[in-house]
Amino acid sequence: MRDEQAMARAIELASSARSHAPPNPWVGCVVVGAAGGVFEGATSAPGGPHAEVVALSAAGEMAQGATLYSTLEPCAHTGRTPPCVSAIICAGVSRVVIGTEDPDELVAGRGIAALREAGLEVMVGMCHTEVEEQLAAYLKHRRTHRPWVVLKLAASLDGRLAAPDGTSKWITGPEARKDAAMIRSVSDAILVGAGTVRADDPALTVRLADGCRQPLRVVLGHVPENAKVKPAVEMTGELDTVLDQLGSMGVVQLMVEGGSHVAHSFHSAGLVDRYVLYLAPAFFGGDDGVPMFAGKGADSISELWRARVVSMVRLGDDLRIELSPGPRQDACTVARGAPEPVQEDVSCCAADIRGAILTDHAARWSCQPPTAKAVGLWEGLSSPG
């Protein structure tokens, strides 16, 4: 198995851990034995074994002299589980290929250094772009201590979230609504404004299947006494402070669901990392409906905000468009730290993983049994491990 193929498989495995791994990173691992045997693992729920340990346990004695592929740098500290680097070294692995370094302050290159000090060959950066895209929420949280912000909007083709009388159920069809619920299921918190709570009285729960973990519910402003969203965290103040507070609570991904004033506030402040638009083939046919963004926009075409299209998917009669701020990047980067130059191209990661954070439906949207993270209001969830 070529390095590129093994890392592509590790990325696929990591997708299966997306819904239950946070606040830990969702990691995939492949161990290729000297005799050609292939053994796989993905991150367990918090407190369970990490991807590397799962794969090494499957390999057993076949790990001796093997190459281990991990999407993220193995940890070198003791959290809720022992350090993965110790398991790798003790298993007799001779070579480790890593997708990207872990910016967590408890790791941050220490895992790579420990492996090299033990005499293992280490290559860093295989399919780096795809791995960073897949782990974008985790990486941002560890680098900035703020959550990855996903803004979800469901609108008509003329850009209206609701009719002039405030009614909006339902602009989009059941397929689009189910997809949005799937994004909820992998988000650690959902945020709406108090105006949305008063107007729609949403529960903001995940209703895909029994056992889905429920995200923390956050309301900007005061929650009415009998609102369905309770229990919820009420927050006020500057959005920067809100994000700092949520990040300190262990919220890795925050889904912002509205309304239009809240959407404008996050967008105009440049705080959105990923936009997910559900567009219905329908028109309100006027300018008096509720717009996507309620507030001041660009004064001229030169100030028009432009994005990179990550994906476009048809869902029933509707269209989902996923957007990312910033310029387009190459599909795959050249590995760093290899003893010899590695020739990579767009096919280096055979599966198309660029949109893995929100588009790998088959693996990512499966509900997992609730973990300690779904209990209470996240007590102790910011600790790594």
Side-chain angles (χ1 to χ4, degrees):
M1 179 178 282
R2 295 170 54 225
D3 286 345
E4 296 87 348
Q5 293 173 318
M7 186 59 73
R9 177 56 183 158
I11 294 172
E12 292 175 355
L13 292 166
S15 295
S16 69
R18 179 62 181 89
S19 64
H20 63 261
N24 292 336
W26 37 103
V27 178
C29 181
V30 173
V31 173
V32 179
V38 179
F39 309 92
E40 302 176 340
T43 306
S44 305
H50 293 187
E52 301 93 327
V53 174
V54 174
L56 289 171
S57 297
E61 295 181 358
M62 299 297 291
Q64 186 72 35
T67 296
L68 180 145
Y69 300 85
S70 178
T71 54
L72 187 67
E73 175 185 3
C75 63
H77 66 284
T78 299
R80 279 174 278 194
T81 60
C84 290
V85 293
S86 298
I88 295 171
I89 295 169
C90 291
V93 172
S94 62
R95 180 170 176 261
V96 177
V97 180
I98 297 169
T100 193
E101 296 179 19
D102 189 343
D104 189 288
E105 59 186 14
L106 296 175
V107 187
R110 294 179 180 87
I112 294 170
L115 293 171
R116 286 177 171 157
E117 288 172 3
L120 280 70
E121 177 187 338
V122 180
M123 177 191 295
V124 182
M126 180 63 63
C127 293
H128 177 264
T129 300
E130 287 84 349
V131 172
E132 291 245 334
E133 170 73 9
Q134 183 180 57
L135 283 169
Y138 169 80
L139 296 174
K140 182 195 176 183
H141 182 264
R142 292 306 193 267
R143 288 167 178 160
T144 68
H145 304 291
R146 288 183 175 183
W148 173 265
V149 178
V150 178
L151 174 61
K152 168 255 176 179
L153 297 168
S156 61
L157 281 181
D158 49 355
R160 302 295 163 173
L161 302 180
D165 65 358
T167 57
S168 60
K169 295 182 180 180
W170 296 100
I171 291 177
T172 56
E175 295 88 352
R177 297 198 300 273
K178 181 178 180 180
D179 189 84
M182 290 172 175
I183 301 177
R184 279 188 183 183
S185 73
V186 296
S187 295
D188 306 302
I190 303 174
L191 182 147
V192 298
T196 295
V197 173
R198 290 191 294 270
D200 300 336
D201 195 20
L204 300 183
T205 55
V206 178
R207 297 178 293 275
L208 291 175
D210 293 337
C212 282
R213 69 185 180 99
Q214 296 297 329
L216 184 71
R217 293 175 286 187
V218 181
V219 177
L220 292 181
H222 176 66
V223 179
E225 185 62 32
N226 297 320
K228 293 178 183 177
V229 76
K230 285 192 171 184
V233 175
E234 300 177 3
M235 306 188 82
T236 59
E238 298 294 327
L239 292 182
D240 286 310
T241 302
V242 168
L243 293 180
D244 287 338
Q245 292 175 342
L246 290 174
S248 69
M249 295 166 65
V251 175
V252 176
Q253 177 166 303
L254 171 67
M255 185 178 182
V256 178
E257 293 211 35
S260 59
H261 290 282
V262 171
H264 178 268
S265 296
F266 274 89
H267 171 74
S268 62
L271 297 175
V272 180
D273 298 295
R274 190 60 51 95
Y275 296 75
V276 182
L277 310 181
Y278 296 96
L279 300 179
F283 297 98
F284 281 101
D287 61 2
D288 52 350
V290 179
M292 287 188 182
F293 302 104
K296 188 178 184 301
D299 289 323
S300 68
I301 194 67
S302 63
E303 298 178 4
L304 190 66
W305 183 89
R306 296 186 184 274
R308 175 175 66 86
V309 176
V310 176
S311 68
M312 290 190 292
V313 180
R314 181 172 176 174
L315 299 171
D317 291 331
D318 305 317
L319 184 67
R320 186 191 67 188
I321 303 177
E322 187 179 335
L323 304 173
S324 174
R328 182 183 300 276
Q329 297 180 349
D330 293 337
C332 200
T333 55
V334 176
R336 295 173 283 115
E340 297 179 0
V342 176
Q343 298 298 322
E344 296 193 49
D345 56 27
V346 174
S347 65
C348 68
C349 292
D352 182 10
I353 322 220
R354 174 168 293 282
I357 292 180
L358 296 176
T359 58
D360 186 358
H361 291 64
R364 281 171 34 83
W365 302 143
S366 59
C367 290
Q368 301 294 332
T371 67
K373 184 177 178 182
V375 180
L377 290 180
W378 293 55
E379 180 178 358
L381 288 181
S382 60
S383 61

